[in-house]
């Protein structure tokens, strides 16, 4: 199994609440800007996406904890 297949499987096996996608997804404008940025510096663009995804996941977890308390 390739690393890409492992990543895809990891995503598929992660159960996320249905409303999480609406609140913490990338919007088209953000993806378009990252695409433009990647034309000059692909590595930095990928790092930016990773860090942005981590920040969104962190905020989603914080919001979930606040909703429970």
């Amino acid at each position: 199994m390739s690393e890409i297949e492992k990543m895809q499987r990891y995503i598929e096996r992660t159960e996320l609440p249905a409303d999480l996608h609406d609140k913490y997804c990338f919007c088209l404008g953000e993806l378009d800007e990252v695409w433009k940025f990647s034309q000059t510096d692909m590595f930095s663009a990928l790092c930016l996406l990773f860090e942005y995804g981590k920040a969104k996941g962190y905020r989603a977890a914080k919001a979930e904890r606040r909703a429970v308390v």
Side-chain angles (χ1 to χ4, degrees):
M1 180 180 292
S2 74
E3 289 301 314
I4 296 296
E5 290 169 330
K6 288 178 186 176
M7 293 165 68
Q8 290 171 330
R9 185 171 177 215
Y10 183 87
I11 292 167
E12 290 168 2
R13 295 178 68 187
T14 303
E15 294 183 29
L16 299 173
D19 66 336
L20 188 65
H21 182 268
D22 295 336
K23 296 177 188 174
Y24 300 100
C25 66
F26 295 111
C27 68
L28 187 57
E30 292 167 334
L31 289 175
D32 185 51
E33 289 300 315
V34 171
W35 169 252
K36 291 174 189 172
F37 181 43
S38 74
Q39 301 304 301
T40 57
D41 190 350
M42 177 63 81
F43 182 76
S44 292
L46 292 172
C47 289
L48 175 66
L49 281 174
F50 182 77
E51 292 297 320
Y52 190 54
K54 275 196 328 188
K56 283 190 167 261
Y58 177 77
R59 288 185 180 204
K62 274 179 62 174
E64 186 175 324
R65 282 193 304 268
R66 271 187 259 123
V68 171
V69 174

